[in-house]
Each structure stands twice: as structure tokens, then as C-alpha cells.
């Protein structure tokens, strides 16, 4: 009996032990350490850290316009990024589940941007916005391309949106394609026999049946856009004048540019709380709309 | 036997004749227009790559005066310079080593953990699983500051080992979650048969369960590869030694030095994206399947 319990314990250690250990060391301990630092004035170097209570948090909400600005930017960006990537991703999927000759080639084309990391994409697009757009503008005379795309606050915002949609719509497309392929053909036929037009079938049959995929795609696009960092860093560096600084970049700058680790930790905790709340609300809200067949 | 074969053959021979005109009708004008629109959109999607490739072989002056046109002359030397300046082979091998080792270990230890957590749902394992699920929403920025402290306390900062361990820890929640969902759907009968045949618990896992988990392992490896290969911030914080640079860090450092030196920067970017694009084109089928499978579980 005792031998059996011993063997169970060893199994538990061998099977679960390594993952649990790495998780605790890399995620759990730093998370709680960060919570502690957020109540201190730690500067990252000194051994002596002063407990400051809620002072960092009060400061962030009352005297730190940069954080509130970055939060506002991130919120606007998330709404647009979410709507546009999902609309385009769904439209592409809807078209590319029809019997087209170029179906597979086009699926590849739309997915490719996603396999390139955000950092390199930002640099590539920096060239497109600075040189490429200008030369298209010269050739066509369209003023749209002659704007200073990374130079003004509103165009820089749209620049990031454009690149983000270009990068991620293809990924959502793949998820929507697999969902559309799982919609029972019989139901679609039945709806057509009943006299429903293409729009009615889409609205009343297809979309309700792909709601699980919508849940997943909304979750992904919200978390990608809310955690925007690499693309932001390499495309605009948060400029001009911090107009496009995401929350993630703001936290990074607070800690590593200004060396205010305590303040950075407090921002990181606020960031975590917001991400957690949004994720929960979103999953709860779309789960309710899912239907079972 | 013979009659059924003939009837099937007759049926299949008869089928195409009414189907042929129907098929022609099926490729209608509306489908042709759709095809044209999607191809046009696809070409627009590829325009950035055109700019990137065409300008990567131009001389600096040619880039400025003629960004959208065909190169006046092909300066392949740009690539030689970028190759040397970024120390490309080294960055490539660093990225490859870190991605491969992290992936193999992450898949292995998480598969083992998730399997045990499903099959022995003790209170400890259930709480641990809840911890993993909850941790999936933690953004990296929320742990990065103390993580560097912890790693230097363990004396594994500025090393590939340290970075790989960081990936094992930070990648664990999502990976365990995906495996956990899959193991729950694996019937337990085969394991009981293995037990009756006298296999040890380890034999049951490695010989019976692990092979069954192959589809979800492929999915996990694909998702983690896309993440780890392209990740910038974690390696940037952990690896300071220039000899340890991965491709994203090498590219970022290079840009800092050669801002607006497009004749060197663009070939460096082409080199940087080539491995992952080739990998994608070669493994396309599996990657697309993996992404959709991962989304169903996630």
C-alpha cells in the first residue's frame, strides 16, 4: 500500500513536476514579486526599496497623462483592429470557401504576413510608408499616398492599423474557413429551398453556426491588439510625440528608459487586470451567442 | 460481386454526363468576378514584398529616386554586406537552436503534465490546472521586470539556457491547456489494456498515449514555433551578449546603427524573413491545419 503511494508520488513528480516548476519560477513568482514591487519606489538597482503603498497607483491615475494616453490609444486601436481584422478575415474566408481556381494559392497569400514577426514587419512597412507610398503618390498623383504617413498623429495611428490588419486578417481567415467548412451543407440547402436569399442564409444560418469561431477570433484579435508591442516599437516607436504609444510600450519605457521599476510594475499590474477583465467579458458575451447543433 | 461492380461503374459513367453542363454552369459569371476581385486583393497584399525585394538590390541613390520601379542595376553586393553586418549565420543558428530546443522540451513536459493532470485529477492537480488557465491572460509585460531579477538570481541571465527555461515557463499555460483538452477526449480503454498487459505507467504514456497525441503535438509545435521564432522582447531582455543574438534582435540592432541606410537595411530584412517564409511554404498544409485545430481547442 505504502509502496503504491510512493510510486504515485514519484509519477506525479516526474510527469507534472518539471512543468509546474518552470511555471512557478517563470510566471508565478515574478507575478507576485511584481505585485510587491508595484507598492515600492524600486529603481531597479538599489537593494533598498521603500514601501510606498498605493502611491504609484494614485500617481498613474492622477498625474501620468502618458499612461492614460497610451491606454486611450490602445483602446481605440483595439476596437478598430478587432472590427477590421474580423470583417476582412471573415470576408476572405467566405469568398475562399467558394469553388475558385485560385483558392489555395490565395489562402497562402493572405496567411503569409502572419508568419513574419511583428518587429520585422514594422521595419518593412516603415520603408513602404516613407518611400513606397511617396513613389506611388508621385506616379498616380493621388494625395492619399502623399500624406506624411508616419509623421502626423492621425496618419501614424492608421499606419499601425493598416499593418496590423494586413498581418492578422489571414490568420483569422484560416479559423473562419475551418468553421465555415463545418457548417452542415444540408442546413444551407434547406434554407435555400425555403426561399432564403444569400444574405438571409448568411445572417440566419451561417453566422449563428460559426459563433464558436467568432468567440475564438475575437479573443485572439483583442489580445493581439491589446498587447501590441513589436509592431509598435519598430514602426513608429510610439511617435510622433507618443501619439501611438501602446500600453505595453509605455510600461517598457517606464521601466527600461526611465528606470522606474516600481512605477512600471504598478502599470504592469493595472495592465494585467484590464486584460483579464476584457478577456472574461468577451468570452462570456460571445459564449452566450453560440448555438449547439 | 460482378453485378455490383458493373452497376457502380455504370452509375459513375452515367454521372458525369448530366453533371458536365451543370459544372459549367456552376462556374458562373459571378464566380469569375469574385475570382478576379480576390486575385486583385491578393496582389495588393503582396505589394509590400515587391517593394522590399526590388529595392533590396538597388543602389542607395536608385532607391531614393526610383522606389517603385525596376532596379537600374542589380547590386547583389548589398546582400553580402548585410549578411556580414548582421552576422546572419550566427543569428540564424541561435534562433534555430532556441526555437527547436524550447519546442521539443515544451511539448514533451507539457504533454506529460497535462496527461497526468487529466488522469489523476487530485485537488492539487485541479488547482494547478486552474492556475495555468488563469495565467493564460497574463501579458508578458506584467512579469518582465521581476523575471529578469529571478533569472539573474538563478544565474541564468544572458544564456540560451535561461531563455529556453523562460519559454518553458511562459509557454506552459497555453500548451498545457491545449494538451489537457485533447487528453480528455482520448478513451481510457487502451491504457487499461496496457496495464493488464503489465506495462509500467511510463511505458503506457510513452508507447501508447504519446503516439495518439501526435495531431495535437503538431498543433502545439506549430503555434509555439510561430511565437518563439518571431519573439523579440524576451530574448532582448535576457540575452545581452552580441554572440547570442537571435534574428529579431540582430535586425533591431542593425536598424539602430543604420537608420535609413535602406540599401543595407532592406537586404537584411529579406534575409531575416526568408527562413520563416520558406518554412511556411514547405509546411503550409500542416501549419494551416495546426492553426485551425489550435483554435477549436483554444
Amino acid at each position: 500500500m505504502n509502496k503504491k503511494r510512493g510510486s504515485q508520488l514519484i509519477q506525479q513528480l516526474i510527469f507534472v513536476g518539471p512543468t509546474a516548476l518552470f511555471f512557478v519560477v517563470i510566471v508565478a513568482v515574478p507575478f507576485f514579486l511584481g505585485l510587491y514591487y508595484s507598492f515600492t519606489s524600486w529603481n531597479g538597482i538599489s537593494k533598498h526599496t521603500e514601501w510606498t503603498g498605493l502611491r504609484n497607483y494614485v500617481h498613474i491615475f492622477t498625474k501620468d497623462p502618458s499612461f492614460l494616453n497610451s491606454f486611450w490609444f490602445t483602446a481605440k486601436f483595439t476596437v478598430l483592429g478587432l472590427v477590421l481584422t474580423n470583417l476582412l478575415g471573415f470576408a476572405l474566408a467566405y469568398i475562399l470557401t467558394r469553388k475558385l481556381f485560385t483558392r489555395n494559392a490565395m489562402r497562402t497569400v493572405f496567411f503569409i504576413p502572419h508568419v513574419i514577426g511583428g518587429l520585422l514587419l514594422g521595419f518593412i512597412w516603415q520603408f513602404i510608408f516613407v518611400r513606397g507610398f511617396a513613389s506611388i503618390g508621385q506616379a498616380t498623383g493621388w494625395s492619399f499616398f502623399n500624406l506624411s504617413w508616419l509623421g502626423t498623429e492621425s496618419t501614424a495611428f492608421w499606419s499601425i492599423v493598416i499593418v496590423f490588419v494586413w498581418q492578422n486578417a489571414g490568420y483569422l481567415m484560416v479559423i473562419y474557413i475551418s468553421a465555415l467548412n463545418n457548417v452542415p451543407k444540408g442546413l444551407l440547402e434547406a434554407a435555400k429551398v425555403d426561399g432564403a436569399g444569400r444574405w438571409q442564409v448568411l445572417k440566419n444560418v451561417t453566422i449563428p453556426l460559426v459563433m464558436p469561431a467568432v468567440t475564438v477570433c475575437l479573443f485572439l484579435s483583442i489580445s493581439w491588439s491589446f498587447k501590441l508591442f513589436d509592431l509598435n516599437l519598430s514602426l513608429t516607436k510610439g511617435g510622433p510625440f507618443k501619439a501611438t504609444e501602446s500600453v505595453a510600450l509605455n510600461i517598457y519605457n517606464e521601466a527600461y528608459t526611465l528606470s522606474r521599476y516600481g512605477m512600471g510594475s504598478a502599470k504592469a499590474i493595472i495592465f494585467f487586470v484590464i486584460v483579464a477583465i476584457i478577456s472574461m467579458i468577451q468570452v462570456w458575451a460571445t459564449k452566450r451567442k453560440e448555438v449547439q447543433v | 460481386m460482378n453485378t455490383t461492380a458493373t452497376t457502380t461503374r455504370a452509375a459513375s459513367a452515367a454521372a458525369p454526363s448530366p453533371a458536365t453542363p451543370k459544372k459549367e454552369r456552376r462556374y458562373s459569371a459571378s464566380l469569375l468576378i469574385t475570382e478576379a476581385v480576390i486575385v486583385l486583393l491578393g496582389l495588393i497584399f503582396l505589394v509590400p514584398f515587391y517593394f522590399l525585394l526590388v529595392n533590396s538590390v538597388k543602389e542607395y541613390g536608385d532607391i531614393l529616386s526610383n522606389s517603385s520601379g525596376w532596379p537600374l542595376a542589380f547590386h547583389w553586393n548589398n546582400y553580402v554586406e548585410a549578411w556580414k553586418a548582421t552576422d546572419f549565420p550566427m543569428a540564424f543558428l541561435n534562433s534555430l537552436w532556441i526555437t527547436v530546443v524550447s519546442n521539443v522540451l515544451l511539448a514533451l513536459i507539457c504533454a506529460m503534465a497535462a496527461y497526468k493532470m487529466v488522469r489523476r485529477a487530485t485537488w492539487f492537480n485541479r488547482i494547478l490546472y486552474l492556475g495555468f488557465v488563469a495565467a493564460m491572460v497574463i501579458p508578458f509585460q506584467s512579469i518582465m521586470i521581476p523575471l529578469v531579477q529571478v533569472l539573474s538570481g538563478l544565474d541564468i541571465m544572458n544564456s540560451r539556457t535561461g531563455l529556453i527555461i523562460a519559454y518553458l515557463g511562459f509557454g506552459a499555460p497555453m500548451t498545457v491547456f491545449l494538451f489537457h483538452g485533447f487528453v480528455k477526449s482520448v478513451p481510457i480503454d487502451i491504457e487499461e489494456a496496457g496495464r493488464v498487459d503489465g506495462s509500467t505507467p511510463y511505458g503506457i504514456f510513452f508507447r501508447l498515449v504519446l503516439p495518439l497525441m501526435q495531431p495535437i503535438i503538431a498543433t502545439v509545435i506549430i503555434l509555439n514555433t510561430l511565437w518563439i521564432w518571431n519573439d523579440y522582447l524576451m530574448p532582448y531582455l535576457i540575452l545581452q551578449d552580441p554572440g547570442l543574438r537571435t534574428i529579431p534582435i540582430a535586425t533591431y540592432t542593425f536598424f539602430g546603427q543604420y537608420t535609413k541606410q535602406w540599401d543595407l537595411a532592406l537586404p537584411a530584412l529579406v534575409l531575416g524573413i526568408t527562413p520563416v517564409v520558406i518554412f511556411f511554404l514547405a509546411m503550409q498544409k500542416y501549419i494551416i491545419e495546426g492553426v485551425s485545430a489550435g483554435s477549436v481547442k483554444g
Side-chain angles (χ1 to χ4, degrees):
Chain A
M1 192 67 194
N2 238 345
K3 201 181 159 197
K4 201 181 168 203
R5 279 181 83 180
S7 131
Q8 284 288 10
L9 189 67
I10 292 171
Q11 277 181 50
Q12 172 80 14
L13 277 177
I14 290 177
F15 277 92
V16 184
T19 310
L21 179 71
F22 290 126
F23 173 70
V24 167
V25 171
I26 301 299
V27 182
V29 167
F31 181 76
F32 290 107
L33 262 181
L35 194 59
Y36 164 73
Y37 286 146
S38 75
F39 297 110
T40 69
S41 61
W42 187 44
N43 62 9
I45 307 158
S46 72
K47 291 254 183 291
H48 220 67
T49 54
E50 195 195 337
W51 180 266
T52 55
L54 287 170
R55 208 184 297 162
N56 288 337
Y57 290 92
V58 173
H59 179 94
I60 290 165
F61 284 112
T62 55
K63 290 188 194 124
D64 190 347
S66 82
F67 185 75
L68 297 178
N69 280 342
S70 70
F71 182 74
W72 180 230
F73 163 80
T74 307
K76 277 192 298 182
F77 178 80
T78 301
V79 171
L80 271 165
L82 155 94
V83 171
L84 294 176
T85 42
N86 279 281
L87 283 181
L88 183 61
F90 186 83
L92 292 173
Y94 189 65
I95 293 173
L96 290 174
T97 42
R98 299 185 68 185
K99 290 189 159 54
L100 301 172
F101 289 122
T102 54
R103 186 163 81 175
N104 290 333
M106 285 301 124
R107 287 180 183 182
T108 306
V109 166
F110 294 115
F111 191 81
I112 275 193
H114 191 90
V115 303
I116 303 167
L119 189 91
L120 276 76
L121 279 188
F123 286 133
I124 294 172
W125 274 89
Q126 201 183 321
F127 179 75
I128 311 287
F129 284 124
V130 174
R131 302 291 330 156
F133 271 31
S135 74
I136 298 176
Q138 268 171 12
T140 58
W142 292 344
S143 57
F144 174 83
F145 289 105
N146 284 325
L147 297 171
S148 161
W149 275 91
L150 299 177
T152 70
E153 293 184 13
S154 60
T155 49
F157 174 80
W158 283 102
S159 302
I160 304 182
V161 172
I162 291 171
V163 182
F164 182 82
V165 173
W166 181 78
Q167 178 189 20
N168 294 315
Y171 194 97
L172 302 188
M173 169 195 78
V174 166
I175 297 172
Y176 282 129
I177 284 176
S178 76
L180 287 172
N181 284 338
N182 284 334
V183 173
K185 294 277 177 296
L187 272 178
L188 298 177
E189 297 291 330
K192 267 180 218 154
V193 170
D194 288 349
R198 188 175 283 173
W199 274 114
Q200 281 172 302
V201 174
L202 182 66
K203 204 177 108 216
N204 299 324
V205 183
T206 311
I207 291 182
L209 286 176
V210 299
M211 275 317 280
V214 175
T215 305
V216 172
C217 288
L218 288 181
F219 176 79
L220 285 174
S221 52
I222 290 175
S223 82
W224 289 334
S225 40
F226 220 86
K227 295 177 194 168
L228 179 75
F229 181 80
D230 294 17
L231 186 61
N232 197 195
L233 181 71
S234 58
L235 188 62
T236 64
K237 274 209 159 130
F241 311 111
K242 294 193 167 234
T244 61
E245 189 180 60
S246 66
V247 174
L249 187 58
N250 183 272
I251 294 170
Y252 174 86
N253 285 335
E254 186 75 55
Y256 296 104
T257 317
L258 303 172
S259 288
R260 294 197 298 205
Y261 285 61
M263 193 70 81
S265 299
K267 288 183 171 182
I269 296 297
I270 297 171
F271 187 38
F272 160 73
V273 170
I274 295 169
V275 170
I277 290 174
I278 292 176
S279 307
M280 280 189 288
I281 292 176
Q282 182 267 317
V283 170
W284 170 78
T286 38
K287 275 258 187 245
R288 286 184 7 177
K289 288 214 161 36
E290 288 179 13
V291 287
Q292 301 288 329
V293 191
Chain B
M1 184 76 184
N2 211 356
T3 36
T4 36
T6 12
T7 18
T8 355
R9 204 178 307 135
S12 62
S17 44
T20 320
K22 201 183 166 197
K23 207 176 181 186
E24 266 169 26
R25 216 183 321 128
R26 217 185 275 162
Y27 197 83
S28 54
S30 98
L31 216 47
L32 186 69
I33 294 168
T34 315
E35 184 118 41
V37 169
I38 202 82
V39 170
L40 188 70
L41 197 60
L43 289 175
I44 294 173
F45 251 66
L46 291 176
V47 164
F49 295 109
Y50 166 80
F51 273 103
L52 177 67
L53 290 172
V54 155
N55 287 294
S56 70
V57 289
K58 286 180 191 170
E59 223 178 0
Y60 187 66
D62 195 14
I63 295 177
L64 293 190
S65 60
N66 169 36
S67 301
S68 50
W70 201 246
L72 296 174
F74 286 82
H75 283 259
W76 297 108
N77 203 36
N78 291 354
Y79 278 88
V80 178
E81 303 234 343
W83 177 280
K84 278 192 233 152
T86 51
D87 209 340
F88 184 75
M90 180 211 67
F92 173 75
L93 288 175
N94 283 338
S95 277
L96 190 66
W97 173 256
I98 287 160
T99 308
V100 170
V101 175
S102 308
N103 253 308
V104 171
L105 293 179
L106 196 52
L108 180 70
I109 65 169
C110 291
M112 292 174 76
Y115 165 71
K116 207 62 188 172
M117 287 159 88
V118 173
R119 293 293 186 243
R120 272 199 89 226
T122 56
W123 64 268
F124 177 82
N125 282 344
R126 260 182 267 160
I127 289 177
L128 189 63
Y129 180 64
L130 280 181
F132 282 126
V133 173
M136 282 200 294
V137 296
I138 299 181
F140 179 68
Q141 277 79 9
S142 294
I143 58 160
M144 68 178 175
I145 298 168
L147 175 64
V148 171
Q149 290 302 108
V150 170
L151 292 181
S152 42
L154 295 170
D155 208 18
I156 46 175
M157 267 296 277
N158 202 14
S159 73
R160 291 191 198 96
T161 314
L163 182 60
I164 289 167
I165 288 175
Y167 281 129
L168 296 184
F170 196 66
M174 184 69 185
T175 311
V176 166
F177 179 73
L178 288 168
F179 282 139
H180 197 272
F182 186 87
V183 173
K184 271 199 288 192
S185 69
V186 175
I188 202 163
D189 312 13
I190 187 169
E191 290 165 50
E192 271 156 9
R195 202 163 298 129
V196 172
D197 288 348
S199 288
T200 65
Y202 307 99
I204 290 174
F205 176 75
F206 284 103
R207 295 215 197 95
L208 299 177
V209 180
L210 205 56
L212 286 177
M213 289 173 79
Q214 206 191 323
I216 192 73
I217 292 175
T219 300
V220 159
I221 287 185
I222 283 160
L223 296 178
N224 286 334
T225 300
L226 289 179
W227 163 49
I228 295 171
W229 182 272
N230 290 321
D231 190 28
Y232 161 73
L233 187 53
M234 190 123 84
Y236 177 76
L237 292 177
I238 294 175
L239 310 172
Q240 280 103 26
D241 186 344
L244 298 175
R245 278 175 193 158
T246 59
I247 287 181
I249 312 179
T251 315
Y252 189 79
T253 317
F254 187 70
F255 256 81
Q257 286 164 356
Y258 298 92
T259 322
K260 304 281 144 58
Q261 277 280 102
W262 295 116
D263 52 334
L264 291 177
L266 296 177
L269 286 173
V270 176
L271 291 175
I273 68 172
T274 302
V276 71
V277 169
I278 290 177
F279 175 74
F280 169 66
L281 293 177
M283 307 287 287
Q284 209 189 135
K285 201 180 134 224
Y286 305 98
I287 292 176
I288 300 258
E289 273 170 18
V291 166
S292 25
S295 75
V296 179
K297 302 284 172 194

